[in-house]
Amino acid sequence: LQPDVFEDLIALVALYRPGPLNSGMVDEFVYSKHGKKIKYLHPKLKHILEETYGVMVYQEQVMNIAVVLGGFSLAQADELRRAMAKKVPEKMEKMNKLFVNGASHNGLFPEMAAKIFDLMAKFAEYGFNKSHSAAYAMIAYQTAYLKAHFPIEFMAALLTAELGNTDKISFYIAECKRMGIAVLPPDVNQSDLSFTPVGDKIRFGLNGIKNVGGTAILSILKAREKEPFKSIYDFCKRVDSRTVNKRVIESLINCGGFDSIGARRSQLAQVIDDAIRVGSQKPKSAISLFEMFGQESLDDEYEKLPDIPEWPENVLLKLEKELLGIYLTSHPLNQYEQGFKRYTTCTVSELKEQKDGEIVVIGGMISQLKKIITKKSEKQMAFITLEDMSGSVEVVFFPSTFEAAAEQIALDEIVLIKGKLETG
């Protein structure tokens, strides 16, 4: 469309919905803006439809036509809007006669009046309230400006606003990736309560970690004010053990919160009980003679980590997903990304832009699976959640399809699925 006035943005919000997109009116709107000659069925329509290039976009336009051409009162015009939206045949027939009769007093032939009414009825199915659209357009304009000029701050704020909605978080992290903005994992020394900009990157917020509550986070933030944590032992000595308990520490380890101190997650998991014991024995305000004279504490001798290998990547990613709700540092589907681009018609997040009833091909990993026996046929069918790097969607396998593909339908399987989309 290449909008160059604010009114174009108002129209875009109203038009970017399944009904208008599938009706062809969006193409008509764009072509008309860029020079296609606009033909009006009646000269009086020009004043009403000129701002939308001859296309009926708003409910207010339908009402205005009813008033100007049909001689309706504003109350009657609103009644017409409701009748058209609900497609009530009796009311529509009544309103049609009323419009044609009123239009005849304004010099319109019955045939032309009926033609205009039919056009109004067609577009009223997709009409949107202009005042609502204007409010949304203003927010769209402001947020687009922020995204363009302050992308890191904007995306950090957006991610924070969607904490708890894993599909939205996945979608926005994928958008960050597309924009070239890295989202770093949680870090006990850098993460804040929410998602925060760190240079040209975004740091995952502690508030997004499962099992890590607000009081525990405040204790961690307060304890690190003077200096960063040097080790898990140092961490346990300085935080309040009443709020930062073993479960919190395990969650921080398993999602990568201690990775920056230079220890493997497997090592930290091995010494967690010892670190908590050492932390509980030393008063938080105490300073040893060795620390006063700049010597290493005797505790260091007991803070050595076991020399064991890191957990396998699939274990690391599984724990990360459990605690953050998403795969962050890597993704099991990374190696399949090019294949999905080649064989799929869209990503999961793009399904909302496809037409209802369209045949689509999507790819991903089966993250949830439920099998049931149907009452009617007493055959097995399945409900799965398919997850790709942009989000997740429910897929239903009816008995005949499930029977043919049962071997491939299993948890954590990477699959391509071709099916009929239902957007309702």
Side-chain angles (χ1 to χ4, degrees):
L1 180 68
Q2 299 170 33
D4 51 16
V5 291
F6 184 66
E7 283 71 18
D8 284 349
L9 297 185
I10 300 174
L12 271 177
V13 172
L15 291 168
Y16 193 69
R17 295 179 293 122
L21 287 169
N22 295 337
S23 71
M25 62 189 288
V26 174
D27 294 333
E28 182 74 17
F29 185 90
V30 173
Y31 296 148
S32 298
K33 175 179 170 61
H34 292 299
K36 180 184 175 182
K37 189 175 180 181
I38 304 169
K39 294 179 182 178
Y40 299 97
L41 288 176
H42 191 278
K44 288 185 178 180
L45 290 176
K46 182 177 180 181
H47 174 70
I48 299 169
L49 302 179
E50 194 169 23
E51 68 166 325
T52 51
Y53 312 108
V55 178
M56 289 185 205
V57 175
Y58 309 119
Q59 293 173 345
E60 288 90 338
Q61 289 175 317
V62 172
M63 293 170 65
N64 206 0
I65 292 169
V67 171
V68 172
L69 294 184
F72 280 37
S73 67
L74 288 174
Q76 287 174 317
D78 191 49
E79 188 181 349
L80 171 65
R81 175 192 64 78
R82 291 199 301 272
M84 286 180 167
K86 294 179 180 178
K87 301 177 187 177
V88 183
E90 299 80 14
K91 278 195 174 182
M92 288 289 286
E93 189 177 344
K94 175 186 170 185
M95 288 292 177
N96 192 344
K97 289 178 181 177
L98 199 62
F99 182 83
V100 171
N101 184 51
S104 65
H105 294 297
N106 285 320
L108 270 76
F109 291 111
E111 296 80 6
M112 177 58 71
K115 194 173 181 180
I116 292 173
F117 186 88
D118 288 343
L119 194 65
M120 290 163 63
K122 177 188 173 186
F123 283 103
E125 294 177 22
Y126 312 123
F128 196 73
N129 184 290
K130 185 182 178 182
S131 61
H132 290 184
S133 195
Y136 297 142
M138 177 57 75
I139 294 169
Y141 178 73
Q142 291 169 332
T143 50
Y145 178 89
L146 292 172
K147 185 177 180 182
H149 296 283
F150 305 95
I152 297 160
E153 292 83 355
F154 175 76
M155 294 307 294
L158 196 58
L159 285 162
T160 297
E162 296 296 347
L163 267 175
N165 187 332
T166 52
D167 275 353
K168 286 284 184 74
I169 292 289
S170 295
F171 177 76
Y172 292 134
I173 286 179
E175 177 68 2
C176 286
K177 182 181 177 182
R178 187 195 66 78
M179 295 166 67
I181 302 170
V183 179
L184 305 172
D187 187 300
V188 292
N189 281 324
Q190 282 201 356
S191 289
D192 209 329
L193 189 67
S194 55
F195 287 84
T196 48
V198 180
D200 60 352
K201 301 177 178 64
I202 295 173
R203 178 66 71 178
F204 203 98
L206 296 175
N207 206 22
I209 307 171
K210 189 178 179 181
N211 305 326
V212 181
T215 52
I217 295 170
L218 292 176
S219 175
I220 294 167
L221 297 180
K222 185 178 179 181
R224 77 173 194 212
E225 282 178 356
K226 290 184 179 179
E227 61 177 343
F229 302 112
K230 299 181 183 69
S231 69
I232 189 169
Y233 286 89
D234 182 37
F235 178 87
C236 290
K237 291 172 189 173
R238 290 161 56 187
V239 297
D240 186 344
S241 59
R242 291 170 299 180
T243 57
V244 185
N245 55 30
K246 183 178 178 179
R247 193 183 188 197
V248 170
I249 299 169
E250 282 178 331
S251 299
L252 289 167
I253 291 171
N254 293 340
C255 73
F258 286 97
D259 286 3
S260 64
I261 66 173
R264 303 184 193 109
R265 298 181 198 181
S266 59
Q267 293 175 307
L268 297 173
Q270 192 87 355
V271 301
I272 186 170
D273 289 325
D274 191 45
I276 292 171
R277 178 186 58 77
V278 170
S280 65
Q281 288 175 351
K282 182 176 178 181
K284 301 294 182 283
S285 60
I287 301 174
S288 72
L289 291 171
F290 296 95
E291 291 169 321
M292 287 176 63
F293 291 100
Q295 297 178 28
E296 290 185 4
S297 169
L298 287 176
D299 283 342
D300 292 347
E301 185 66 29
Y302 302 99
E303 295 183 9
K304 290 181 179 177
L305 299 174
D307 186 15
I308 56 175
E310 183 58 286
W311 293 324
E313 186 181 42
N314 65 321
V315 174
L316 294 172
L317 291 179
K318 184 181 178 183
L319 289 169
E320 194 175 275
K321 174 74 184 297
E322 285 177 7
L323 293 162
L324 304 181
I326 57 168
Y327 295 106
L328 186 61
T329 54
S330 186
H331 199 290
L333 299 177
N334 278 346
Q335 59 184 306
Y336 303 97
E337 191 172 3
Q338 292 306 314
F340 286 155
K341 284 181 181 178
R342 182 177 178 183
Y343 294 109
T344 61
T345 58
C346 62
T347 65
V348 168
S349 66
E350 291 167 345
L351 286 172
K352 62 180 180 294
E353 298 176 17
Q354 312 304 311
K355 295 178 182 178
D356 185 43
E358 189 170 346
I359 301 300
V360 297
V361 180
I362 55 176
M365 180 173 64
I366 298 176
S367 59
Q368 293 181 41
L369 170 61
K370 180 183 178 183
K371 300 176 185 178
I372 64 167
I373 303 294
T374 61
K375 290 181 179 179
K376 188 175 181 181
S377 64
E378 295 187 348
K379 291 184 177 180
Q380 207 170 38
M381 65 179 291
F383 298 85
I384 74 163
T385 299
L386 187 79
E387 180 179 315
D388 70 4
M389 295 171 77
S390 71
S392 61
V393 66
E394 185 182 70
V395 182
V396 181
F397 287 87
F398 293 108
S400 58
T401 312
F402 178 72
E403 188 177 351
E407 289 185 10
Q408 285 76 42
I409 303 173
L411 277 176
D412 299 327
E413 278 291 308
I414 312 296
V415 294
L416 288 169
I417 297 178
K418 181 179 181 180
K420 184 180 178 182
L421 177 66
E422 288 189 5
T423 59

